[in-house]
Amino acid sequence: MKRSVFALLALVLAAGPLAAMNHVPPGVDFFATRGDGQTFMDFASNPVPAGFFCPGSAPFTGRVEFRGVPIAGAPGKTDTIIERIDEASFNDKGVASSRIRIRAVQLESLKPLATSCGNFILRASLAEREQPTTRIRIRQTGEGGGFFNATLALNLRLSFHPVSGKGRVRVLEDTISFNRSSRFPWAVAADGADVERSLTIDTNADGRPDTRVTQRGSFIAGAKPGHAIGEAGGSLIGAPQAVSADLEQQIDPDPHVLPDHGHWVEPICGETVFICP
């Protein structure tokens, strides 16, 4: 089962330098998903097939809304982790690029899916196979930050768990490709510290940390320069907020709205990670 448009996690990590810096080191960024209905999958155009839940079950064509599930080993309520693979060096126009990939995601349906075979909780995580890499293009528009454009692809595991606890967990794998690049903000962390730390995180959603990752830098993906995270942080994937072109003048974002998928994520920040603007 393949979907060509799933906006999950298109808000990928980005980083940008302070004025005196000329590169962004590789590393990971942490995000949390809002469980307010804005993160969803709509199966109307690509149903779960007939007979999937039990013999004779009808195709599932409903809309499923998600909340994030904290990832073991990650800070706070992190449910999404994206990695910048390469060091991204800025050219004389203030533009840098890197390969990116998703390292972990854990989502759960807000309420059970009702079927003729009983009710099921849907959980989304990464499939246990190599994840594809895509590109991020980072632009610095001032000392406080800028914006970035990115695409994302991932191999997703959708597991349907019987609410009754009886019967087997049913699994689908989905290859997701968000091919249209959208524009999102990034901001330099308020303390400006260039710090580094390593963590061991759970990448296969079994509750046990299994993979070492490194967080570097003091940059917050998804935050508008000069705004507090709670005031202007977070970005709706597929319909990103306006970002600052010169830190004073607001410009219109790419008006990209996907009808069947959406994911709202906010950067994780505070004492457990980095200080937000």
Side-chain angles (χ1 to χ4, degrees), residues 219-263:
F219 313 104
I220 307 297
K224 292 181 182 179
H227 289 78
I229 291 299
E231 175 183 297
S235 292
L236 177 62
I237 305 309
Q241 300 176 28
V243 301
S244 176
D246 59 6
L247 307 188
E248 294 181 359
Q249 180 183 5
Q250 293 295 312
I251 61 175
D252 291 332
D254 179 2
H256 183 38
V257 179
L258 299 174
D260 56 354
H261 301 88
H263 191 197

Side-chain angles (χ1 to χ4, degrees), residues 99-228:
R99 292 176 298 156
I100 57 172
R101 64 181 171 185
I102 186 167
R103 296 308 305 269
V105 62
Q106 289 184 193
L107 303 174
E108 181 179 87
S109 56
L110 287 174
K111 60 182 181 180
L113 289 63
T115 78
S116 61
C117 310
N119 295 335
F120 293 82
I121 292 293
L122 173 56
R123 295 181 179 136
S125 59
L126 293 185
E128 293 190 50
R129 50 195 172 102
E130 185 176 358
Q131 295 297 319
T133 61
T134 54
R135 303 293 303 183
I136 182 171
R137 186 173 183 267
I138 310 164
R139 181 179 292 275
Q140 179 181 267
T141 58
E143 292 185 18
F147 64 86
F148 66 93
N149 297 81
T151 59
L152 192 70
L154 64 156
N155 297 316
L156 195 67
R157 183 178 190 267
L158 303 175
S159 56
F160 299 79
H161 298 251
V163 172
S164 65
K166 300 177 181 180
R168 63 183 178 86
V169 175
R170 291 150 175 84
V171 177
L172 289 175
E173 288 198 0
D174 205 355
T175 298
I176 308 302
S177 180
F178 182 49
N179 293 318
R180 181 175 177 181
S181 180
S182 294
R183 178 179 290 186
F184 302 97
W186 62 268
V188 178
D191 61 358
D194 188 12
V195 299
E196 175 179 326
R197 68 170 182 160
S198 295
L199 306 91
T200 303
I201 61 167
D202 173 20
T203 60
N204 60 7
D206 67 356
R208 297 189 296 270
D210 53 62
T211 300
R212 197 78 168 167
V213 296
T214 301
Q215 184 188 26
R216 298 182 179 93
S218 57
F219 313 104
I220 307 297
K224 292 181 182 179
H227 289 78

Side-chain angles (χ1 to χ4, degrees), residues 50-61:
F52 176 78
F53 294 103
C54 66
S57 63
F60 180 79
T61 59

Side-chain angles (χ1 to χ4, degrees), residues 82-95:
I82 308 293
E83 178 185 23
R84 287 169 278 113
I85 300 171
D86 310 306
E87 180 174 292
S89 298
F90 283 82
N91 60 24
D92 56 4
K93 295 181 180 180
V95 177

